[in-house]
Amino acid sequence: MSEQGSSQGNQYPPDPELSKTANARPEMKEQGLEEFWDEQAKQRIDWFEPYETVLDWQLPYAKWFVGGKLNACYNCVDRHVEGGKGDKVALHVVPDDGSDSADAHDITYAQLQRQVVKFANGLKKLGVGKGDAVGIYMQMIPDAVVAMLACARIGAPHTVVFGGFSGKAVDERCTDFGAKVLITQDEALRGGKAGAQKKNADDGLSADTTIEKIVVVKRTGGDVPMTDGRDVYYDDLVADLDDDPSSCPCEPMDAEDLLFLLYTSGSTGKPKGVVHTTGGYLTGVTTTTNLVFDVKDDSVYWCAADIGWITGHSYITYGPLANGLTSVLYEGVPGYPDKDVWWKIIEKYGVTILYTSPTAIRSHMKWGEQYAQSRDLSSIKILGSVGEPINPEAWEWYRKYVGGGSAPIMDTWWQTETGHILITPLPGITTLKPGMAQQPFPGVKPEIRDDEGNALGLNQPGNLVLTQPWPGMMRGLYKDDERYRDTYWSKYSDAYFAGDGAKYDDDGDIMLMGRIDDVTNVSGHRISTFEVESALVEHELVAEAAVAARRDPDTGQAIVAFVSLVGENQGDDELKQTLREHVATQIGKLARPAELIFAHDLPKTRSGKIMRRLLKNIAEGEELGDTTTLVDPSVVEVMQKQVNPT
Ligand code: WT7
């Protein structure tokens, strides 16, 4: 039911039936910070030893559930088996070629437990123990989830590197973390094509890599290079190992022991190793999964993200499994083998909760609603959106065609650094407004401030900050206290600076307005302009490079690279293609510039500073205004002629 007429557009009040049964209760927002999280931690997490203190907050570092001992894998797997839910399906595994495939299968909690135990025993055999870093470079296959849980089981922190990143990115991250073991798969299977995975990893290994062993899970059985003494097939590693849970008990971990690092892009420098620990993170993701998606024992949950991102960590692996849910784990891409594959999956498994990105919704929208309409999607109860602001048209389409015109959409704002959802509507409570994340989760205290630190009121755009800690917040950047303080805690001395622009609407609901730094968001993936620039200048023909983002109707933002070449080289279409591919091999395909523009120089002021604002204007195809301060105003004309904004 839509109510027209508000200044913001449509509004959708909660269904009163849902309000009666929803897990989230309005009173939760009235609870004190520690009271709320204490209650959640006790109710939702099994502790081997209870914590003494809920929160120890010494800005900018928080410790949660101090003194408590627990194990994330125990909470995600073992306790469900011990509690009699061993036969419940944990994962509906849907392979690349769709749910009808002979490879499609279910994994129960009891089976998951045995697989994890076996994997953990394999890691132990390689000498991995508590505190030893492990790298994971895989696609969306169940073994990836098993590998993460196996690490958690023995207390070995993991760092998952997105399967679409380059081998160089893998080596950089694993070596920064000091990982000696890397887990990968022979080949990636996406959209019906087998692509390199293990070989990418090999190609990226540097002379000073810390990786000593590579475990290779077979996905396609394709022929891949194996180095004697270093590489081992997973099947061979575990052939004679036990899968009985008693053979590998869950390691009791301190609440503040490292669970994982996840590297993410900043506006400058190398990727940042975001530190997440065990007790607070697990409490945060378990609670938010439960309340935001209103999960029930019979829910069938599908988060269509990738385990290589924080969304996959929090809302494919840890959050849903800790809640004992049945989830869909999908290897493929939207649109293969058919454009209706997503809707077929929802129909076949009776999916009740779908959590995906605005970019994916926009692709489906572009293909047309006939695909969704050809399937029975009546099982859907709750929808989620994450990764970038969702435009109201996509929101309305999602609700109408996927949500049967009635399913509430949770537009969830959070970050790699925040660990879990912080700003979101709640089912049964919030009157929804298309395109807005709207309300802080219980215990979360946002503010919108101007550059001087003044708190802003309604309809005044500013910087989003958080003035209170939350359990899943990062515990710093790996071995870089200075960068942590600089990036997040120096703009304002008393609050977490998120890097997003935001404003309150007339009713005080929060609207996110995109990054305010040099981090771009392409299809919900964070890419720093700095990293793309660094990759470009590594090419021998490139003298200088600068990168800007322009709006894109499909991917949210698209990368436009401005390049000046060495010598007298003018560049041509072939070189544009070569340089775009160069970025793809250096970083990963998702960082490949949508457009590349050559000029004899970049637009610089007399002091030598590149005028980035101008590049942004050029990329967007906007009016430039005054360019007289440039050393050579002719560069912008050369650039403008090449731009072709969609
Ligand atoms: C950045 C964080 C959150 C997990 C996936 C991305 C943008 C994220 C929303 C949303 C508007 C959003 C922000 C944020 N973002 N969700 N619902 N509405 N913007 O994690 O790669 O760490 O990126 O994604 O700009 O800062 P990430």
Side-chain angles (χ1 to χ4, degrees):
M1 186 184 27
S2 94
E3 278 180 13
Q4 303 281 341
S6 124
S7 58
Q8 282 83 34
N10 294 346
Q11 296 199 14
Y12 300 93
D15 171 1
E17 285 311 305
L18 179 60
S19 304
K20 277 186 222 153
T21 59
N23 298 349
R25 313 302 319 159
E27 317 76 84
M28 287 172 169
K29 296 220 175 175
E30 311 308 318
Q31 285 182 287
L33 172 68
E34 293 180 36
E35 182 196 358
F36 172 73
W37 286 114
D38 183 31
E39 208 174 286
Q40 300 301 320
K42 290 203 170 101
Q43 177 193 340
R44 302 190 190 282
I45 302 297
D46 277 33
W47 300 85
F48 294 152
E49 282 175 40
Y51 48 87
E52 293 130 24
T53 310
V54 176
L55 170 64
D56 172 1
W57 177 221
Q58 317 234 349
L59 185 145
Y61 289 100
K63 288 185 185 146
W64 283 87
F65 312 117
V66 183
K69 300 253 188 268
L70 77 164
N71 183 285
C73 177
Y74 180 81
N75 276 279
C76 289
V77 183
D78 297 62
R79 65 165 168 168
H80 305 312
V81 181
E82 290 168 15
K85 290 209 300 192
D87 292 336
K88 181 172 179 177
V89 173
L91 300 173
H92 290 303
V93 176
V94 182
D96 182 55
D97 55 354
S99 52
D100 297 337
S101 157
D103 278 357
H105 64 283
D106 291 344
I107 299 175
T108 65
Y109 274 95
Q111 290 166 332
L112 183 62
Q113 185 184 35
R114 291 195 172 260
Q115 292 184 18
V116 171
V117 166
K118 196 162 207 162
F119 213 120
N121 278 328
L123 290 173
K124 279 185 172 172
K125 189 169 150 188
L126 292 175
V128 178
K130 187 172 176 172
D132 296 334
V134 174
I136 298 177
Y137 178 49
M138 299 175 85
Q139 299 285 336
M140 287 295 294
I141 58 175
D143 314 66
V145 175
V146 170
M148 291 167 86
L149 294 167
C151 289
R153 187 174 194 90
I154 61 175
H158 54 70
T159 191
V160 180
V161 183
F162 174 57
F165 274 146
S166 66
K168 193 173 162 222
V170 176
D171 184 57
E172 247 173 42
R173 289 159 171 80
C174 289
T175 299
D176 186 68
F177 195 15
K180 291 185 183 162
V181 172
L182 175 68
I183 304 163
T184 186
Q185 63 189 73
D186 52 2
E187 291 181 311
L189 203 55
R190 309 239 335 144
K193 292 187 204 85
Q197 193 78 40
K198 161 69 166 67
K199 182 166 181 310
N200 286 353
D202 283 2
D203 291 349
L205 292 193
S206 60
D208 49 7
T209 186
T210 58
I211 294 168
E212 292 169 7
K213 293 273 175 211
I214 303 184
V215 179
V216 184
V217 172
K218 278 187 190 162
R219 172 60 184 99
T220 63
D223 200 15
V224 297
M226 297 288 281
T227 300
D228 259 1
R230 186 193 68 187
D231 304 345
V232 56
Y233 277 113
Y234 175 71
D235 295 341
D236 297 334
L237 176 71
V238 300
D240 54 358
L241 297 182
D242 211 342
D243 67 358
D244 190 283
S246 65
S247 70
C248 182
C250 294
E251 190 70 38
M253 303 298 285
D254 193 273
E256 285 299 334
D257 276 339
L258 199 53
L259 180 61
F260 64 85
L261 290 195
L262 186 61
Y263 286 83
T264 188
S265 294
S267 48
T268 56
K270 287 202 267 174
K272 307 179 277 198
V274 173
V275 174
H276 283 293
T277 59
T278 311
Y281 173 81
L282 199 66
T283 304
V285 300
T286 308
T287 305
T288 47
T289 302
N290 190 284
L291 301 181
V292 175
F293 301 113
D294 197 36
V295 307
K296 308 289 180 192
D297 200 36
D298 61 355
S299 294
V300 180
Y301 169 96
W302 181 16
C303 170
D306 191 289
I307 48 123
W309 311 116
I310 191 70
T311 309
H313 285 62
S314 303
Y315 299 108
I316 292 177
T317 301
Y318 292 109
L321 292 173
N323 275 284
L325 292 182
T326 296
S327 303
V328 168
L329 186 77
Y330 177 45
E331 184 182 27
V333 292
Y336 177 86
D338 297 300
K339 291 201 171 67
D340 68 348
V341 59
W342 273 34
W343 320 126
K344 245 172 140 166
I345 292 171
I346 291 175
E347 183 181 69
K348 171 165 175 184
Y349 297 106
V351 170
T352 60
I353 301 158
L354 176 67
Y355 190 28
T356 186
S357 68
T359 289
I361 298 161
R362 286 191 295 265
S363 310
H364 288 298
M365 219 173 130
K366 204 160 78 177
W367 295 330
E369 63 270 12
Q370 66 274 21
Y371 298 102
Q373 282 178 321
S374 70
R375 298 283 160 184
D376 178 4
L377 308 184
S378 60
S379 55
I380 290 286
K381 293 199 167 111
I382 306 270
L383 297 170
S385 171
V386 63
E388 51 185 315
I390 177 166
N391 47 313
E393 302 72 44
W395 194 102
E396 297 281 4
W397 189 94
Y398 194 27
R399 179 177 169 102
K400 185 168 179 191
Y401 296 111
V402 186
S406 62
I409 300 174
M410 303 300 125
D411 176 358
T412 61
W413 178 89
W414 57 295
Q415 309 175 300
T416 306
E417 293 89 337
T418 72
H420 52 80
I421 295 166
L422 294 188
I423 302 179
T424 178
L426 287 173
I429 295 180
T430 314
T431 291
L432 302 173
K433 296 178 183 172
M436 295 176 72
Q438 295 189 283
Q439 289 290 325
F441 190 78
V444 176
K445 284 271 178 296
E447 245 178 54
I448 297 170
R449 293 186 179 177
D450 67 13
D451 283 332
E452 282 67 52
N454 304 305
L456 299 174
L458 306 183
N459 290 311
Q460 292 176 288
N463 305 320
L464 176 69
V465 303
L466 301 158
T467 63
Q468 254 180 204
W470 58 96
M473 71 192 288
M474 76 176 131
R475 303 301 198 259
L477 294 176
Y478 190 62
K479 290 191 180 156
D480 205 342
D481 172 60
E482 198 184 320
R483 194 173 180 194
Y484 174 62
R485 289 173 188 271
D486 263 14
T487 313
Y488 306 101
W489 302 93
S490 66
K491 174 97 181 158
Y492 307 109
S493 61
D494 61 339
Y496 171 84
F497 174 67
D500 276 292
K503 67 170 189 187
Y504 295 110
D505 72 359
D506 294 337
D507 308 319
D509 279 314
I510 298 172
M511 177 169 183
L512 275 307
M513 299 168 69
R515 302 284 310 183
I516 52 184
D517 52 17
D518 292 326
V519 175
T520 66
N521 190 325
V522 180
S523 304
H525 303 318
R526 240 163 100 165
I527 298 157
S528 91
T529 50
F530 173 84
E531 275 176 86
V532 179
E533 288 163 10
S534 307
L536 283 165
V537 295
E538 272 178 40
H539 193 280
E540 52 182 10
L541 294 178
V542 174
E544 266 191 302
V547 163
R550 64 161 155 76
R551 281 178 294 247
D552 184 281
D554 299 325
T555 57
Q557 289 192 318
I559 295 177
V560 181
F562 298 87
V563 171
S564 70
L565 297 167
V566 293
E568 296 301 303
N569 197 337
Q570 303 292 306
D572 54 16
D573 283 349
E574 197 186 327
L575 185 57
K576 281 189 182 178
Q577 201 46 35
T578 307
L579 293 179
R580 291 176 67 239
E581 283 316 312
H582 172 75
V583 174
T585 38
Q586 292 289 306
I587 304 175
K589 286 194 184 107
L590 52 94
R592 179 165 44 206
E595 216 169 317
L596 203 130
I597 288 157
F598 290 128
H600 49 285
D601 197 359
L602 297 175
K604 289 178 194 144
T605 61
R606 279 168 226 284
S607 60
K609 226 173 149 244
I610 296 172
M611 286 186 72
R612 290 182 175 272
R613 178 186 56 78
L614 267 186
L615 294 176
K616 176 108 189 137
N617 294 149
I618 297 170
E620 295 276 15
E622 293 164 349
E623 286 295 317
L624 298 189
D626 187 16
T627 57
T628 50
T629 54
L630 293 176
V631 181
D632 177 1
S634 78
V635 267
V636 294
E637 284 160 36
V638 175
M639 288 174 166
Q640 275 181 310
K641 283 200 189 108
Q642 293 169 66
V643 177
N644 174 27
T646 45

